[in-house]
Amino acid sequence: MALRRVFLLRSVAPRVAALSTKPQTQELPPASPEAVRGCRAAKAVRPPVPAVDFTNTQEAYRSRRSWELARNLLVLRLCASPVLLAHHEQLLQFARKLLGQRMFERLMKMTFYGHFVAGEDQESIRPLIRHNKAFGVGFILDYGMEEDLSPEEAERQEMESCTSEAERDGSGANKREKQYQVHPAFGDRRDGVISARTYFYASEAKCDNYMENLLQCIEASGGASDGGFSAIKLTALGRPQFLLQFSDVLTRWRRFFHQMAAEQGQAGRAAVDTKLEVAVLQESIAKMGIASRAEIEGWFTPETLGVSGTVDLLDWNSLIDSRTQLSRHLVVPNVQTGQLEPLLSRFTEEEEQQMKRMLQRMDILAKKAKEAGVRLMIDAEQSYFQPAISRLALEMQRRFNVEKPFIFNTFQCYLKDAYDNVTMDMELARREGWCFGAKLVRGAYMAQERARAVEIGYEDPINPTYEATNAMYHRCLNYVLEELKHSTKAEVMVASHNEDTVRFTLCRMKELGLHPADGQVCFGQLLGMCDQISFPLGQAGFPVYKYVPYGPVMEVLPYLSRRALENSSIMKGAQQERRLLWQELRRRLRTGSLFHRPA
């Protein structure tokens, strides 16, 4: 029963197929020779991919008027001032008191808000979206509202929402691993985070309110233009306690697999290459006393695992499907004590209902997006939530990514296990026949993650250096691009402001024969950042999207604060952007085109 409660996607949402090692493919009739020749001819006549020049300022800023360039230059310069950034909150409060609400909002719209935010509501964002679309740049719409809580209130809400009732009243000990336990020093998840919105659970009614805002965002995406995205965060949709508990379950079960692999001499292998011998595995489990030998043999049958005689991580994960006989035996050895411990905790009836409502909200959003023709981008969050978020995103992909990628999961490449995460999900999509959709990012929580690991006492999940993160990003990206060559239904978004990474992608696409017209590879940057990358890509025919927040001025101020801080944290890229803006303004002044009107 406990397992069913954790894996509610098997019962609350429409039932999906169990994990299987057999590819779920449909046989298609052979194509006629005429069709084959026609397909080849169509590919042959596609225009060659134009070269992309990130230093041609005239082309990069062709979509912008001169006053917009001047504003961009001003905002980026202010973001580079350590003195202003150190006191930006006090300065904003002072300006608001001095100017009054109306004039303060007007000032924001002329500067920071106008630079980083598309508008206040569905109607006001449409001109910018249509304008960017005319120059080849799409959008990922994101309702930027965020509560401006005090650190104390944020900590209180986090501590309460990440603790179960049994843990609060003392009737149940917290057996979660350290990484998946809440800690007061990190109750305010905004601390040390400069580029991601943060939601705190207050009540089920507040989650319903967030869902309504997201439904409106999806509706706005569908009404603004074809082919857009909407971004969602799962911590906005329910109690984070469940994400912590679910992540703990998934991590411990995966670690158990790697412990068995080490016993079979396969330590250190990539997850996608690790395969356990079934006979040896059965013997190991029997020695632990988890179940009788006859029961264990019943778990590993050709019907459940195929006839290969081996078990990989995807097979292993399939064993904790709620319909397997292993459910009631779901225990793993504790590394410290050596004792067998149950993976799952019991929930109260109210907690079960809260978890069901979280999954129902996800289902409602996905169905609404499907109806509106809008793709959903599941944002990544802290590493202690991420295993659960990725698993829930995967379940949504199984259901909705039937004909094309509709749900995109986000992979953070600053994580040490990023390559395993990407490769295993892509392999699962191949086996089960659904369409893989991914966004690759470096990650937004590095400083907080490192400090938390040191304070609480667990292994740092982040790559040791920036260079290691770059290498991981390119390794994951290269693997996906190689797979795209053979899987025409998979897609990836290269979400990066790093010019070297974009150039690497363009080079590999050319080597692998991946044409931008196929739409399998797209690029993403934030609104107000790196236009010198986004617009040359779009004008050259590559699919590229701006992450476009919108919302009332006062409700997106926390977002604006972090945008300013993020620009200060990537000074090298910001300096390059400011140099190009100056260069274009001087060119226009010199050539008499200062009053340039985009056409």
Side-chain angles (χ1 to χ4, degrees):
M1 284 299 294
L3 185 73
R4 290 183 187 276
R5 292 166 183 157
V6 172
F7 291 84
L8 276 169
L9 277 178
R10 304 292 187 191
S11 56
V12 176
R15 189 169 291 278
V16 296
L19 288 170
S20 169
T21 58
K22 300 175 182 178
Q24 298 178 359
T25 56
Q26 297 179 347
E27 289 196 15
L28 300 176
S32 66
E34 292 80 6
V36 172
R37 285 194 297 270
C39 180
R40 288 174 180 167
K43 288 190 176 182
V45 299
R46 286 191 303 189
V49 181
V52 182
D53 185 358
F54 298 125
T55 63
N56 185 336
T57 61
Q58 183 174 356
E59 287 301 309
Y61 299 116
R62 188 160 58 90
S63 65
R64 296 289 178 251
R65 300 188 183 195
S66 296
W67 71 264
E68 292 177 290
L69 299 184
R71 182 193 63 189
N72 295 358
L73 190 58
L74 172 65
V75 169
L76 292 175
R77 185 65 191 90
L78 292 174
C79 290
S81 170
V83 175
L84 288 177
L85 288 175
H87 302 94
H88 75 280
E89 292 182 352
Q90 297 92 321
L91 290 171
L92 288 175
Q93 292 174 2
F94 175 75
R96 185 179 174 187
K97 290 179 181 178
L98 179 66
L99 300 174
Q101 186 70 25
R102 187 174 177 180
M103 289 300 296
F104 174 75
E105 291 190 6
R106 182 171 296 182
L107 175 63
M108 288 294 101
K109 289 180 180 180
M110 292 171 59
T111 54
F112 294 96
Y113 181 94
H115 183 72
F116 291 119
V117 183
E120 294 196 85
D121 52 36
Q122 298 181 29
E123 289 302 318
S124 63
I125 66 176
R126 291 187 181 186
L128 176 65
I129 288 175
R130 284 197 296 265
H131 178 80
N132 285 354
K133 192 76 173 177
F135 289 89
V137 178
F139 64 94
I140 307 168
L141 205 57
D142 180 24
Y143 189 64
M145 182 191 72
E146 183 177 319
E147 282 191 287
D148 193 11
L149 299 176
S150 68
E152 295 76 19
E153 180 62 17
E155 179 185 324
R156 185 193 66 78
Q157 289 189 11
E158 184 76 355
M159 293 298 296
E160 185 176 294
S161 62
C162 289
T163 307
S164 69
E165 184 174 320
E167 290 165 352
R168 283 196 299 273
D169 64 21
S171 61
N174 187 344
K175 292 185 178 294
R176 280 179 264 157
E177 294 193 356
K178 289 181 178 180
Q179 183 174 359
Y180 303 104
Q181 295 181 22
V182 66
H183 193 284
F186 300 92
D188 186 354
R189 286 184 277 115
R190 301 167 300 183
D191 189 31
V193 177
I194 59 174
S195 59
R197 288 175 295 104
T198 305
Y199 292 99
F200 294 93
Y201 178 88
S203 66
E204 290 298 298
K206 183 62 69 70
C207 292
D208 287 335
N209 185 51
Y210 284 143
M211 182 185 71
E212 291 300 323
N213 289 330
L214 291 171
L215 288 171
Q216 292 174 14
C217 180
I218 291 169
E219 190 174 302
S221 296
S225 178
D226 295 331
F229 287 88
S230 279
I232 65 173
K233 278 187 177 290
L234 295 195
T235 50
L237 300 180
R239 193 180 183 91
Q241 166 202 343
F242 307 125
L243 296 177
L244 283 173
Q245 288 177 286
F246 196 10
S247 293
D248 182 51
V249 167
L250 295 169
T251 301
R252 292 171 70 184
W253 188 245
R254 185 168 179 166
R255 185 177 295 122
F256 190 17
F257 172 83
H258 286 295
Q259 288 173 356
M260 297 295 99
E263 289 186 6
Q264 295 192 22
Q266 299 189 54
R269 286 191 183 181
V272 74
D273 299 322
T274 304
K275 293 176 172 42
L276 306 184
E277 294 294 332
V278 171
V280 179
L281 179 61
Q282 289 175 332
E283 183 70 23
S284 298
I285 294 176
K287 288 180 179 178
M288 292 179 186
I290 293 176
S292 69
R293 188 175 297 277
E295 286 179 307
I296 295 168
E297 289 175 355
W299 301 340
F300 304 95
T301 64
E303 289 74 21
T304 58
L305 301 177
V307 294
S308 65
T310 62
V311 176
D312 64 17
L313 185 55
L314 297 180
D315 300 322
W316 183 254
N317 288 338
S318 75
L319 294 175
I320 54 174
D321 183 283
S322 61
R323 288 161 288 174
T324 65
Q325 291 299 311
L326 183 58
S327 299
R328 63 191 179 90
H329 298 289
L330 199 56
V331 294
V332 295
N334 183 303
V335 178
Q336 282 75 35
T337 66
Q339 300 296 313
L340 292 175
E341 295 180 351
L343 272 179
L344 303 171
S345 304
R346 291 187 176 275
F347 297 123
T348 66
E349 184 175 345
E350 181 183 2
E351 288 172 337
E352 283 195 13
Q353 290 302 316
Q354 289 172 346
M355 183 159 54
K356 286 181 180 179
R357 284 197 290 270
M358 181 181 188
L359 301 176
Q360 288 167 346
R361 292 180 190 111
M362 292 171 57
D363 190 57
I364 289 169
L365 291 171
K367 288 178 178 176
K368 175 68 174 179
K370 190 82 169 178
E371 292 172 6
V374 176
R375 291 169 287 180
L376 281 188
M377 192 76 73
I378 311 297
D379 280 346
E381 304 193 46
Q382 282 88 349
S383 64
Y384 43 91
F385 293 138
Q386 196 54 45
I389 291 171
S390 291
R391 178 59 184 258
L392 295 175
L394 185 149
E395 296 292 351
M396 293 172 71
Q397 289 178 313
R398 278 171 156 164
R399 292 181 53 207
F400 293 99
N401 289 11
V402 178
E403 298 177 355
K404 62 180 182 179
F406 172 71
I407 305 292
F408 280 62
N409 192 18
T410 301
F411 295 90
Q412 299 165 303
C413 294
Y414 68 3
L415 294 176
K416 293 175 181 176
D417 60 359
Y419 183 76
D420 283 348
N421 295 335
V422 170
T423 56
M424 295 309 296
D425 277 15
M426 200 157 201
E427 173 64 12
L428 183 62
R430 184 192 67 77
R431 290 186 187 185
E432 295 189 342
W434 47 269
C435 303
F436 179 81
K439 177 177 74 169
L440 298 184
V441 301
R442 279 174 170 77
Y445 306 96
M446 183 174 69
Q448 184 189 96
E449 293 275 12
R450 289 200 191 285
R452 191 177 188 273
V454 171
E455 176 69 22
I456 300 178
Y458 58 86
E459 182 183 352
D460 185 354
I462 307 298
N463 287 314
T465 64
Y466 180 75
E467 290 72 24
T469 292
N470 280 344
M472 178 66 79
Y473 193 105
H474 288 184
R475 183 187 184 196
C476 293
L477 176 57
N478 194 58
Y479 178 88
V480 174
L481 293 175
E482 292 273 4
E483 290 296 313
L484 293 187
K485 184 178 179 181
H486 308 290
S487 175
T488 58
K489 294 169 72 175
E491 295 180 15
V492 64
M493 175 177 283
V494 183
S496 176
H497 298 128
N498 188 306
E499 190 176 312
D500 291 337
T501 293
V502 175
R503 291 184 184 279
F504 171 82
T505 308
L506 297 178
C507 180
R508 291 298 289 137
M509 288 178 67
K510 183 177 180 180
E511 292 170 353
L512 295 168
L514 298 172
H515 197 279
D518 296 332
Q520 286 186 276
V521 183
C522 61
F523 299 85
Q525 288 88 37
L526 292 165
L527 182 68
M529 296 176 67
C530 295
D531 283 357
Q532 79 278 9
I533 292 178
S534 306
F535 284 89
L537 284 170
Q539 291 162 29
F542 289 87
V544 60
Y545 298 85
K546 284 291 192 181
Y547 203 97
V548 178
Y550 76 99
V553 174
M554 298 311 297
E555 292 184 4
V556 299
L557 271 183
Y559 172 88
L560 290 175
S561 295
R562 284 198 298 279
R563 283 288 77 80
L565 290 169
E566 180 169 31
N567 275 279
S568 71
S569 72
I570 51 174
M571 282 299 296
K572 183 179 179 181
Q575 287 175 356
Q576 166 77 348
E577 191 165 355
R578 294 204 309 272
R579 184 183 66 78
L580 293 175
L581 286 166
W582 267 121
Q583 183 178 322
E584 175 60 12
L585 280 172
R586 287 196 298 266
R587 187 199 67 79
R588 291 185 184 185
L589 186 62
R590 187 176 62 253
T591 60
S593 54
L594 196 60
F595 297 99
H596 165 77
R597 294 178 63 87

